[in-house]
Amino acid sequence: MLARKSIIPEEYVLARIAAENLRKPRIRDRLPRARFIAKSGACNLAHKNIREQGRFLQDIFTTLVDLKWRHTLVIFTMSFLCSWLLFAIMWWLVAFAHGDIHAYMEKSGLEKNGVDSSACVTNVRSFTSAFLFSIEVQVTIGFGGRMMTEECPLAITVLILQNIVGLIINAVMLGCIFMKTAQAHRRAETLIFSRHAVIAVRNGRLCFMFRVGDLRKSMIISASVRIQVVKKTTTPEGEVVPIHQLDIPVDNPIESNNIFLVAPLIICHVIDKRSPLYEISATDLATQDLEVIVILEGVVETTGITTQARTSYIAEEIQWGHRFVSIVTEEEGVYSVDYSKFGNTVKVAAPRCSARELDEKPSILIQTLQKSELSHQNSLRKRNSMRRNNSMRRNNSMRRNNSSLIVPKVQFITPEGNQNATET
């Protein structure tokens, strides 16, 4: 039998198959811009091809503190186990060299239960008993079943040596664990920065601003803020500097440049001629390859340890023409902070030009403020008109409802022709 011919034309089927098999254009996702300091404050830097690894062992204590917790706990456990095993071997060799183990093997059953005063260490009869005695000596447990005698000066020397080594191991490992638990960056976990930075007009000048706060009640003493701009630059000689750091000043009315971080503060940097942001406009900001690094330093009030909190803002995290909302209010004689609005911003009027153009043409700021005032007035008028229309509609609807409730008058006509009007 011949195959049945399809009802759909062959030309249409081929065109549909070709359209489905067309290779879609590949759109490469934009790679995230590399940053030197992550939002959490960690340094985004990888060290490779370090040849002199022995330098880390010269400062063994700092190396132990910098290790991860799982590595530190493994080293802590292995250091004690290795010391116990090492001295267990030494105690077993002392007992073997003195002949205590051989003498114990030659005794009868009843004599084995007695205490041999001629042995270096009583009841050390095997490697297991030597290991238990090593633990008792180093940890100073002292169960009383095994003890030293005056027969072996070598055993006394081993006892003194094990005590000294045990004290050193205790001091190093316990100090290492204490330093890991009391590290400065642990306190920095409660020092928070706003997710975004803003650029807005303050006191007639363009300013770069961000918010910083402390979640703990214990304060940071002598807290100071430093701001650096890191970007890739090229010198006139053609040398490429991948990490070019520039310090930018912080607008602080206090001469000591310290801040009183009792409540969240907005740190402000005035964009003037000294600022690297002086010639950057709102349109140029999106194409700039720069990173603003913020460093907060201070002394912890409870421990006296110097702590440091860091974060950074790249161009995508800087909002032009925004301002932080107020989060500090006074309630019943107490200042309260609403941290749910810590990073909230509101859009405000700000010129889109650079600070340099604003200094050259101050009229731009006046025009921007006038436009914002006109737009604000227009929005208020629209709101008022909408409110009036809504109120008029409500009044009309109420009138209609009231009119529908009025009882109509009905007239009854009698056969005699008299009309009596009654209300029903």
Side-chain angles (χ1 to χ4, degrees):
M1 294 179 63
L2 296 175
R4 295 180 61 183
K5 191 174 181 179
S6 176
I7 300 175
I8 303 174
E10 186 177 357
E11 294 82 2
Y12 176 76
V13 175
L14 294 176
R16 186 181 64 182
I17 294 174
E20 291 178 356
N21 294 332
L22 280 176
R23 187 176 182 182
K24 296 181 180 180
R26 293 182 178 178
I27 302 174
R28 295 183 178 179
D29 297 334
R30 185 178 179 183
L31 295 176
R33 183 174 296 178
R35 59 198 310 161
F36 296 103
I37 301 296
K39 298 299 290 184
S40 61
C43 297
N44 188 20
L45 189 65
H47 299 276
K48 296 182 179 180
N49 300 327
I50 300 177
R51 298 179 180 179
E52 299 180 0
Q53 298 287 344
R55 291 181 176 270
F56 295 99
L57 297 178
Q58 294 178 2
D59 188 8
I60 187 63
F61 186 78
T62 305
T63 303
L64 292 175
V65 173
D66 290 340
L67 290 176
K68 295 181 179 180
W69 268 107
R70 56 178 178 267
H71 299 155
T72 303
L73 293 177
V74 169
I75 294 174
F76 179 84
T77 305
M78 293 303 298
S79 61
F80 283 103
L81 287 177
C82 292
S83 64
W84 295 339
L85 287 173
L86 176 63
F87 284 98
I89 294 173
M90 296 179 66
W91 286 117
W92 184 85
L93 291 175
V94 168
F96 181 80
H98 192 260
D100 298 340
I101 298 176
H102 182 70
Y104 173 77
M105 297 298 295
E106 291 181 351
K107 290 182 179 179
S108 61
L110 296 176
E111 294 178 352
K112 288 183 179 181
N113 296 327
V115 178
D116 188 6
S117 60
S118 62
C120 291
V121 181
T122 58
N123 295 329
V124 175
R125 305 162 182 174
S126 62
F127 181 77
T128 305
S129 59
F131 179 75
L132 294 175
F133 181 72
S134 175
I135 296 176
E136 292 179 15
V137 169
Q138 188 165 336
V139 190
T140 63
I141 297 176
F143 291 115
R146 302 172 184 88
M147 59 182 178
M148 292 273 304
T149 62
E150 301 176 356
E151 296 294 328
C152 300
L154 180 61
I156 299 173
T157 306
V158 174
L159 177 66
I160 295 173
L161 181 62
Q162 186 172 5
N163 286 329
I164 294 173
V165 173
L167 290 175
I168 294 174
I169 294 175
N170 289 334
V172 173
M173 298 310 302
L174 294 179
C176 176
I177 292 178
F178 173 76
M179 290 302 298
K180 285 186 70 67
T181 55
Q183 279 183 337
H185 67 271
R186 303 295 180 186
R187 179 62 177 88
E189 296 294 334
T190 53
L191 297 174
I192 57 176
F193 299 88
S194 58
R195 184 71 180 177
H196 296 85
V198 298
I199 294 179
V201 178
R202 175 182 279 190
N203 298 326
R205 305 293 298 273
L206 278 177
C207 297
F208 173 85
M209 294 174 287
F210 60 92
R211 178 173 277 167
V212 61
D214 188 5
L215 299 178
R216 290 186 181 273
K217 291 185 178 180
S218 59
M219 296 178 55
I220 299 295
I221 304 173
S222 301
S224 61
V225 177
R226 293 189 292 115
I227 306 177
Q228 289 184 347
V229 173
V230 178
K231 61 181 181 179
K232 183 179 180 180
T233 58
T234 305
T235 62
E237 294 79 14
E239 180 185 0
V240 178
V241 182
I243 307 176
H244 184 57
Q245 301 180 10
L246 297 172
D247 287 333
I248 57 178
V250 178
D251 185 18
N252 192 354
I254 304 176
E255 295 180 357
S256 60
N257 201 23
N258 293 333
I259 59 176
F260 187 53
L261 197 60
V262 66
L265 299 177
I266 297 176
I267 308 300
C268 176
H269 159 64
V270 179
I271 304 177
D272 52 9
K273 295 181 180 180
R274 301 174 298 171
S275 174
L277 310 175
Y278 186 63
E279 298 181 356
I280 298 177
S281 62
T283 56
D284 298 336
L285 183 62
T287 60
Q288 291 292 322
D289 188 12
L290 58 86
E291 180 180 356
V292 181
I293 299 176
V294 179
I295 302 172
L296 173 63
E297 293 180 339
V299 179
V300 182
E301 183 181 18
T302 54
T303 61
I305 301 175
T306 303
T307 184
Q308 184 182 92
R310 300 179 296 267
T311 190
S312 67
Y313 301 98
I314 57 178
E316 289 81 0
E317 297 171 348
I318 301 175
Q319 297 179 347
W320 195 289
H322 285 71
R323 183 184 299 165
F324 289 104
V325 299
S326 178
I327 60 175
V328 180
T329 57
E330 185 178 356
E331 299 177 358
E332 299 179 356
V334 178
Y335 289 99
S336 64
V337 181
D338 187 5
Y339 281 98
S340 63
K341 303 178 181 178
F342 183 81
N344 293 358
T345 60
V346 61
K347 195 172 183 179
V348 294
R352 308 290 293 177
C353 63
S354 62
R356 180 177 182 178
E357 296 177 0
L358 188 61
D359 290 343
E360 294 176 354
K361 297 178 182 179
S363 59
I364 297 176
L365 179 59
I366 299 174
Q367 294 175 1
T368 304
L369 295 178
Q370 290 177 354
K371 289 180 181 179
S372 65
E373 185 66 24
L374 290 174
S375 62
H376 181 64
Q377 292 178 0
N378 292 331
S379 63
L380 289 178
R381 290 174 184 174
K382 290 181 180 179
R383 291 178 183 177
N384 293 331
S385 62
M386 291 177 65
R387 290 177 181 175
R388 290 175 183 174
N389 293 333
N390 293 331
S391 62
M392 291 177 64
R393 290 175 183 175
R394 291 176 182 175
N395 293 331
N396 293 332
S397 62
M398 291 177 64
R399 289 176 183 176
R400 291 175 183 175
N401 295 330
N402 293 331
S403 62
S404 63
L405 295 175
I406 297 175
V407 180
K409 293 182 180 181
V410 181
Q411 293 181 354
F412 297 95
I413 301 174
T414 59
E416 291 81 7
N418 295 328
Q419 297 180 354
N420 295 325
T422 61
E423 295 181 0
T424 61

